[in-house]
Amino acid sequence: MHADTTESARGTNGWRRFWERGGWWRALLLVVAYYALYQLGSFAFLPLVTSTDDPAALTWFGTALPIALGGVLLVLFAWSVGWLRELFGPQPIRGRGWMWIAVAVVLLFNVLRFATIDYGATGAGVVVAWVVAGLFIGFAEEVLTRGFVVNLMRKGGYREIAVALVSALLFALLHSGNLLSGQSPLATGFQLVYTFAFGILMYLSLRVTGNLIWPILLHATTDPSIFLQSAYPADGALTAIAAQGNIAVVIAGIVLLFFIRGKVEPTASVAEPGIDTKVA
């Protein structure tokens, strides 16, 4: 490594070295900071939300644009710590064949839900708004929890069972804020169980596909399919089957959790004295 590159890395070593040490509490700190900034950013769109009753516009202003802003913040953070290649590069640990069950369960019910939406009643504007919102949601939430949290846990030297548990737990806790929007405690409680199990399946999807882009895309098709099929269900027996997707996710996530094994050995911290490291 050239001397000027080393000095450049050391010029930002306080910030980067802090995050390179990893650990569960740094993961928690990052998630809390992101949630707070996301909520603050959402207030910027509040005047637009309250000025319309159009379902498509409400989706754009109330869901898509705030979460897109959150995604931008995450990319900027990844750039600041030099993790863009780490997050979106190949996974440092291989998956196992049984982990494809996680992909199959999520994909199957997403397809079933999309196939049982009354598109005539929904309208093209609402469908497009939710598809785009789903992409933003999948990107932001997966980069945060299966990207940053997983990376921080591995840098902290934890086994993969702990990596999966903490990433899924923090993902679930992100949704506890729905209580503040008036959602009932019972509905929120089930949502926390569902999102925890879904987080386990997304972790397994990350492992078995080997790249963060695939859980992003799986997640991106989940939220739109759930909302649109719940709000605009088509008539037919297939609709009732598709509606069982949340239960299937909970069962699969909890059962498969017990089979997670492995550990990624943490690498040396960036720019520590006497250690030659490659800056991303």
Side-chain angles (χ1 to χ4, degrees):
M1 178 179 279
H2 298 297
D4 58 341
T5 305
T6 304
E7 291 303 316
S8 175
R10 288 176 179 172
T12 57
N13 62 5
W15 177 251
R16 292 189 62 178
R17 280 208 306 265
F18 174 81
W19 294 105
E20 282 288 337
R21 293 187 183 99
W24 68 267
W25 69 267
R26 287 181 176 84
L28 175 61
L29 175 64
L30 180 60
V31 169
V32 170
Y34 167 81
Y35 185 78
L37 290 173
Y38 167 72
Q39 292 297 329
L40 285 174
S42 298
F43 283 117
F45 301 97
L46 192 58
L48 296 173
V49 173
T50 57
S51 67
T52 182
D53 58 1
D54 177 67
L58 287 171
T59 302
W60 283 108
F61 300 144
T63 303
L65 295 181
I67 200 73
L69 178 60
V72 171
L73 292 176
L74 290 171
V75 170
L76 290 175
F77 177 74
W79 172 79
S80 76
V81 295
W83 287 2
L84 284 171
R85 290 184 183 178
E86 273 187 74
L87 293 179
F88 295 100
Q91 286 292 293
I93 184 172
R94 295 180 63 182
R96 297 290 183 265
W98 61 265
M99 294 179 180
W100 284 107
I101 297 172
V103 177
V105 169
V106 175
L107 187 59
L108 171 63
F109 282 97
N110 287 356
V111 170
L112 286 174
R113 283 190 289 252
F114 274 121
T116 55
I117 295 169
D118 185 344
Y119 290 98
T122 308
V126 174
V127 173
V128 170
W130 263 106
V131 168
V132 175
L135 288 170
F136 292 156
I137 292 168
F139 179 85
E141 294 188 353
E142 290 306 310
V143 167
L144 177 62
T145 53
R146 255 62 64 184
F148 286 118
V149 172
V150 164
N151 211 24
L152 286 164
M153 291 294 292
R154 286 172 175 168
K155 287 178 184 294
Y158 296 96
R159 300 191 66 81
E160 287 299 294
I161 182 64
V163 174
L165 281 168
V166 172
S167 64
L169 179 61
L170 292 180
F171 173 65
L173 290 177
L174 279 172
H175 296 80
S176 63
N178 289 332
L179 280 169
L180 302 177
S181 62
Q183 184 170 277
S184 72
L186 182 61
T188 303
F190 178 78
Q191 186 178 31
L192 293 181
V193 173
Y194 166 79
T195 49
F196 173 81
F198 182 79
I200 295 296
L201 297 188
M202 289 299 96
Y203 162 83
L204 294 172
S205 300
L206 174 70
R207 281 279 302 271
V208 76
T209 62
N211 195 286
L212 183 60
I213 189 64
W214 299 112
I216 287 174
L217 293 177
L218 268 178
H219 195 152
T221 60
T222 299
D223 289 66
S225 69
I226 290 175
F227 175 83
L228 292 172
Q229 201 263 355
S230 299
Y232 307 98
D235 294 329
L238 194 59
T239 300
I241 298 174
Q244 304 308 309
N246 290 359
I247 299 298
V249 164
V250 169
I251 294 172
I254 292 175
V255 171
L256 295 179
L257 167 64
F258 292 97
F259 296 91
I260 295 173
R261 300 288 187 275
K263 182 180 180 181
V264 175
E265 293 301 327
T267 57
S269 298
V270 169
E272 287 185 357
I275 297 178
D276 184 24
T277 57
K278 187 179 292 183
V279 178

